[in-house]
Amino acid sequence: MVETKWSEHVLGHVFTNEDSPVPHFDSSEVHRGYGVIKCMDEFSKGFLEKCMAKISGAWEDISLRLIPAKEIPIRPRARVWLPKIDCDGPKLLQGLARMNKDVPMNDWSVIANEPPNNNSMSLVLSTTEAGVEALERLGNKLFFGVREAKVKILRSHVPNGEADADDIDDAGKLLDNMQLEGPSTSSPQ
């Protein structure tokens, strides 16, 4: 309903301001329960801010606000490389948890089961800070079957530069159009 109202404002602007720039957006992503709206230019960003101010009072008990993308809360993620095995992601995560009792994985979830290559495959997992700390103590390795599985922690903000930027972007692409559960106390944004 919000997107419909917003689209009506865009269409109204297009018809009443023929010589004005046209706002361009992409709102196809949902990230941790937050609708992600990409503004293609500064005009579009300003238009969106004005539009949301008008729309925010249209319904009772709805909270709308704009949050810059870098401020969207994100849990850490981890990419785990495993031997190629015929098993779905949730079952693999369950096996990893049982083989690694010192790593708190009860709040972890599978974001993606990446396509396998020659003899290996990888999972991208939503983790927790406690899980990351445990992984770091173990040298970013987990027990799996008869070997250790390599783990790479993916964070949205990399300290002192962007060493993991490509991996974060790759994992971020996996989140496109996925509704991931956020904190139970959050309201729609």
Side-chain angles (χ1 to χ4, degrees):
M1 291 176 19
V2 171
E3 197 168 290
T4 300
K5 271 279 197 215
W6 174 38
S7 295
E8 289 172 358
H9 283 280
V10 172
L11 194 58
H13 171 80
V14 168
F15 287 139
T16 58
N17 300 291
E18 290 182 26
D19 295 330
S20 177
V22 175
H24 290 97
F25 309 99
D26 177 3
S27 66
S28 60
E29 283 186 58
V30 174
H31 180 66
R32 290 193 42 87
Y34 292 83
V36 177
I37 302 167
K38 294 178 184 173
C39 300
M40 302 307 178
D41 52 39
E42 283 300 313
F43 174 77
S44 299
K45 180 181 173 193
F47 183 88
L48 178 63
E49 289 169 348
K50 291 175 191 170
C51 191
M52 287 309 230
K54 292 175 188 174
I55 292 175
S56 63
W59 296 277
E60 263 185 57
D61 298 328
I62 190 169
S63 172
L64 297 175
R65 61 187 167 145
L66 296 176
I67 302 170
K70 65 183 177 190
E71 293 176 19
I72 295 173
I74 186 169
R75 287 173 56 175
R77 295 162 290 179
R79 179 173 282 125
V80 181
W81 285 271
L82 303 168
K84 190 170 159 183
I85 189 168
D86 188 24
C87 188
D88 67 359
K91 199 74 160 172
L92 287 170
L93 178 57
Q94 183 181 13
L96 281 167
R98 292 188 72 192
M99 288 182 245
N100 297 277
K101 296 208 184 274
D102 293 338
V103 180
M105 293 187 202
N106 47 331
D107 290 337
W108 290 22
S109 61
V110 177
I111 295 172
N113 193 353
E114 295 182 322
N117 58 25
N118 298 333
N119 294 318
S120 68
M121 58 185 279
S122 64
L123 293 176
V124 178
L125 305 170
S126 173
T127 64
T128 60
E129 287 299 329
V132 168
E133 290 171 12
L135 284 169
E136 288 172 346
R137 280 193 306 274
L138 295 170
N140 290 334
K141 293 182 179 166
L142 291 170
F143 292 108
F144 184 79
V146 296
R147 70 175 180 103
E148 291 182 329
K150 180 181 169 191
V151 180
K152 181 162 188 169
I153 305 301
L154 306 170
R155 294 193 180 268
S156 60
H157 303 289
V158 179
N160 302 323
E162 299 188 31
D164 293 335
D166 291 337
D167 286 330
I168 291 168
D169 289 343
D170 291 344
K173 289 175 188 171
L174 296 171
L175 296 171
D176 287 354
N177 301 320
M178 292 184 71
Q179 178 83 31
L180 301 177
E181 290 183 25
S184 59
T185 58
S186 67
S187 58
Q189 303 296 314

